[in-house]
Amino acid sequence: MTKLLLLFSVLFYQSIAFGQDWSAAIKQTTGLVEGAKVIVVGEIHGTQEMPEFFRDLVVEVSKAHQVCVGLELSSNAGSAMDTYLQSSGSAQDIDKFFRDASNWLRGYQDGRNSSAMLKLIDALREKEDICVYSFDVRGTDDREQAMTDFILDKIAAEADAEANRVHLLFAGNVHGRLSVGVPWDKKFESMAYRLNRKHQVASVELVPSGGSAWMCQDPICKQFELGGRQGEKAVEVISEHPVILNVLIGTVTASFPAAKIHGF
């Protein structure tokens, strides 16, 4: 009984704040990134709202362009992702997906395998005209370059097929930076920065006004409170060449690991 009450509480909590209306910000963002081959949307892992915003942006961009979506999930689980995307999304399909793509069941849950991310994948599963892939590459000395190379190969494959798709990438915000340097490494070159050497890239960073997120601060993974900021505009243009935008999406809510929600 206690376990059922806990599951109900988590499911109820997950429903809070889902379904915000940011249609105006979506349309403005879509107009500002027009012409980019790659659009990198930088998030804070482990929120409900940021994957939902990304989903709505994908839908809007796909009205005018063929689209591929890249997610910062394990590239080793690509076949499991493909199988799930072709399924009906039943409980059995989810069970198989989680077991075949083992990162959903790992102990270190940093927010990328959240309930909201599964909802995003389910939304993409219903869009047969959108291709989806996972691009996170581990076990390398230069993860940013490994992810860059993986995405470039995907773009090249699409070019060979004459699809000429726009690639929308959803990743932690550090990977979407179009300038050199971060506070802990002044020479850091992000995935987006490196992709911009080959293709026109637009960077969109999602900025909360506060709230919470499920994330890891080693060695602890749990719900953390977030700081944030307010702004007069929902979409702030930081740079026009290259396009760098901040989108203020309001208060965000932690999204728990999907495995927890589904009883693993």
Side-chain angles (χ1 to χ4, degrees):
M1 184 68 175
T2 301
K3 185 175 181 181
L4 288 173
L5 287 173
L6 175 61
L7 179 59
F8 175 80
S9 297
V10 171
L11 288 170
F12 177 77
Y13 184 74
Q14 291 285 58
S15 70
I16 298 172
F18 216 76
Q20 293 189 27
D21 179 14
W22 35 57
S23 55
I26 291 284
K27 289 184 180 298
Q28 185 180 358
T29 300
T30 302
L32 290 168
V33 300
E34 179 64 33
K37 175 66 176 177
V38 180
I39 303 164
V40 183
V41 179
E43 66 149 350
I44 297 171
H45 298 315
T47 75
Q48 294 187 51
E49 291 76 11
M50 294 190 186
E52 188 182 36
F53 182 96
F54 180 75
R55 179 206 65 192
D56 291 351
L57 181 63
V58 169
V59 170
E60 187 66 24
V61 174
S62 69
K63 293 177 181 178
H65 301 280
Q66 290 182 295
V67 166
C68 267
V69 169
L71 304 176
E72 191 196 346
L73 299 173
S74 174
S75 60
N76 292 331
S79 61
M81 173 77 82
D82 292 342
T83 299
Y84 182 69
L85 289 168
Q86 294 167 16
S87 75
S88 64
S90 68
Q92 291 79 10
D93 294 326
I94 292 172
D95 183 273
K96 177 175 172 54
F97 179 39
F98 283 4
R99 295 184 190 281
D100 290 350
S102 57
N103 52 310
W104 290 85
L105 301 180
R106 65 183 178 173
Y108 188 82
Q109 288 292 336
D110 61 2
R112 289 180 295 155
N113 298 105
S114 68
S115 175
M117 284 296 291
L118 182 60
K119 288 181 182 179
L120 169 60
I121 293 170
D122 277 331
L124 296 172
R125 182 173 50 78
E126 297 175 359
K127 301 287 185 181
E128 295 181 358
D129 56 337
I130 294 176
C131 73
V132 182
Y133 58 89
S134 304
F135 60 78
D136 188 19
V137 181
R138 299 285 177 152
T140 173
D141 292 335
D142 191 342
R143 183 179 170 219
E144 299 298 314
Q145 189 60 49
M147 292 193 295
T148 300
D149 291 341
F150 188 95
I151 294 162
L152 288 174
D153 286 345
K154 289 291 184 182
I155 294 173
E158 289 298 325
D160 290 343
E162 298 184 353
N164 195 31
R165 295 177 185 264
V166 174
H167 286 245
L168 287 102
L169 311 179
F170 193 50
N173 49 30
V174 71
H175 306 299
R177 297 175 62 90
L178 283 177
S179 57
V180 175
V182 288
W184 60 89
D185 182 356
K186 296 189 181 302
K187 296 182 180 180
F188 178 82
E189 295 182 355
S190 74
M191 175 189 75
Y193 181 85
R194 300 177 196 216
L195 286 169
N196 198 44
R197 293 170 176 158
K198 298 286 187 179
H199 297 283
Q200 185 175 344
V201 174
S203 175
V204 179
E205 181 170 351
L206 304 183
V207 181
S209 62
S212 61
W214 180 281
M215 60 176 64
C216 295
Q217 295 183 4
D218 291 336
I220 304 298
C221 298
K222 66 172 188 176
Q223 176 181 320
F224 287 93
E225 298 304 309
L226 296 178
R229 64 182 179 84
Q230 304 286 342
E232 294 182 0
K233 299 179 180 178
V235 180
E236 299 174 341
V237 179
I238 308 304
S239 168
E240 294 183 354
H241 304 287
V243 173
I244 302 174
L245 308 177
N246 284 347
V247 179
L248 280 62
I249 66 169
T251 303
V252 296
T253 310
S255 180
F256 292 89
K260 180 189 291 287
I261 301 299
H262 288 273
F264 284 90

